[in-house]
Amino acid sequence: MMSYSLAPQFPVLPDYQGQCISNVVPALLGPPEMCDWLPAPVTEATQVVILLADGMGWEQLQERIHLTPTLAAMQGGPITTVAPTTTTTALTSLVTGAAPGAHGLIGYQLYTQGEVLNTLRWTVKGGDKDALKMFVPEQIQPLPAFLGRRVPVISRSEFHDSGFSRAHLDGLGHTGYKLTSTIGVETKRLVRDGESLVYVYYDGPDRIGHEYGLAEHLDAEYMATDQLVAQLLGLLPPTTALLVLADHGQVEVADNKIELSSEVLGLVSVTSGEARFRWLHARSGRSKALLETAQALYGHYGLVVTKEQVVDEGWFGPYVSPEACRRMGDVALVPSEPVAFVVPKEKKPKKERKEKSFELIGRHGSLTSAEVFVPCLAAFGVGS
């Protein structure tokens, strides 16, 4: 693996015109000259398997490179993901070949039609509304996956036909797995059947980082991911390349949560986005006051920017559709510090309280180098 030095700058903006996750599929499916920036095995292979390891950032991988000998031996280096650095947005950009401003899934919590849609669970606040009928996935994100090619997908069984799967994978054939031991078997079968491109989604690093942070549990997960990569290479023939990508990196936030103040909340109608890319939607006539108040309270944590700045500086790509623009708030909180901006939780009577879920320790969404740079690594299979 080549050695790279990444300048500690902020914000790190996606390279939408070059080496970015949104350009991988167009490079793979386009003319040969379009993929000259991808690792050599990809350009020379007759078949390609994409393994998307959710949450495996380039910087976190470099810190654990001594634990990942298979990944360390692969060709390639870092590329950028998209903004915000979150799964919903990045996976959609990967498979559609479009920047977030074009596909419109601009965040985990998406403001649309007067509601905030949880795009991973495809639910809205209250839980008693049929979000799949209210927000038809194929209408929320209409661009075709893989430029209209019917590429087979391997991912967890529970993701089949979910709202988000429908929104970004466009009804592609889905092979589900319950345990990672079956990923290699299913991948080999599809390659053996002659599929020129196969897409495999694995979410181990993201899950572990969220629940346990970036310490020994994540070390163990990176070793397990490396073993999965080794298994796949051992099953794939020498003419097939395995391309390992990720959708974002992570930072450890732990208890560094900033509850939005009553001063700010009094000026907003709703919030959306991520805890590390928090959109504030101003009440009518209060956008200027909201910007000034948010800058005064939160400017020292990173950036407090307007929607106009985000659009003008191309954070979401060179083109932002009218619908994507309507989904943005008026002000965004984008921290450089390891903090999360959260809305104070409503206190519920004991009888209404549900079992407590774990608190997120590792998070992502902002534009630090730890979150933006992701691996783009490839190697040929060594199986028969």
Side-chain angles (χ1 to χ4, degrees), residues 186-270:
E186 299 295 351
T187 303
K188 181 179 180 180
R189 175 182 61 80
L190 290 168
V191 170
R192 188 177 59 231
D193 290 346
E195 297 288 353
S196 60
L197 182 61
V198 177
Y199 175 48
V200 181
Y201 173 75
Y202 173 67
D203 59 357
D206 187 65
R207 288 191 172 200
I208 295 300
H210 279 318
E211 186 167 0
Y212 296 100
L214 279 60
E216 58 184 350
H217 290 86
L218 194 64
D219 294 347
E221 175 54 38
Y222 272 57
M223 287 189 282
T225 303
D226 193 71
Q227 291 165 4
L228 173 60
V229 171
Q231 180 195 31
L232 286 168
L233 290 174
L235 291 170
L236 297 175
T239 56
T240 299
L242 177 65
L243 176 61
V244 179
L245 304 168
D247 53 348
H248 57 75
Q250 298 188 68
V251 296
E252 184 154 324
V253 171
D255 293 327
N256 298 324
K257 292 180 289 187
I258 311 300
E259 288 195 352
L260 296 179
S261 73
S262 57
E263 294 174 80
V264 165
L265 292 176
L267 297 170
V268 304
S269 58
V270 71

Side-chain angles (χ1 to χ4, degrees), residues 154 175-188 231:
I154 300 173
T175 299
Y177 68 85
K178 287 184 168 55
L179 298 173
T180 56
S181 57
T182 64
I183 293 176
V185 177
E186 299 295 351
T187 303
K188 181 179 180 180
Q231 180 195 31

Side-chain angles (χ1 to χ4, degrees), residues 71-223:
L71 288 164
M74 298 177 80
Q75 297 183 49
I79 63 174
T80 66
T81 186
V82 298
T85 52
T86 195
T87 298
T88 297
T89 307
L91 292 191
T92 306
S93 284
L94 169 64
V95 300
T96 64
H103 65 64
L105 281 183
I106 60 168
Y108 158 60
Q109 294 176 317
L110 187 73
Y111 179 74
T112 181
Q113 301 174 37
E115 298 271 6
V116 177
L117 175 68
N118 180 321
T119 54
L120 290 180
R121 296 176 181 168
W122 217 262
T123 57
V124 292
K125 188 176 181 180
D128 56 346
K129 301 175 183 178
D130 190 342
L132 282 171
K133 290 184 178 179
M134 291 175 62
F135 308 103
V136 178
E138 295 83 359
Q139 295 175 358
I140 293 293
Q141 197 302 106
L143 298 182
F146 295 100
L147 310 185
R149 292 269 297 271
R150 308 313 291 174
V151 173
V153 177
I154 300 173
S155 69
R156 289 188 181 274
S157 299
E158 59 262 36
F159 297 155
H160 176 60
D161 208 32
S162 69
F164 177 54
S165 291
R166 286 172 52 187
H168 81 293
L169 291 175
D170 190 35
L172 295 177
H174 178 265
T175 299
Y177 68 85
K178 287 184 168 55
L179 298 173
T180 56
S181 57
T182 64
I183 293 176
V185 177
E186 299 295 351
T187 303
K188 181 179 180 180
R189 175 182 61 80
L190 290 168
V191 170
R192 188 177 59 231
D193 290 346
E195 297 288 353
S196 60
L197 182 61
V198 177
Y199 175 48
V200 181
Y201 173 75
Y202 173 67
D203 59 357
D206 187 65
R207 288 191 172 200
I208 295 300
H210 279 318
E211 186 167 0
Y212 296 100
L214 279 60
E216 58 184 350
H217 290 86
L218 194 64
D219 294 347
E221 175 54 38
Y222 272 57
M223 287 189 282

Side-chain angles (χ1 to χ4, degrees), residues 301-312:
Y301 290 112
L303 294 175
V304 179
V305 295
T306 63
K307 169 169 59 177
E308 290 74 21
Q309 180 177 342
V310 169
V311 173
D312 291 345

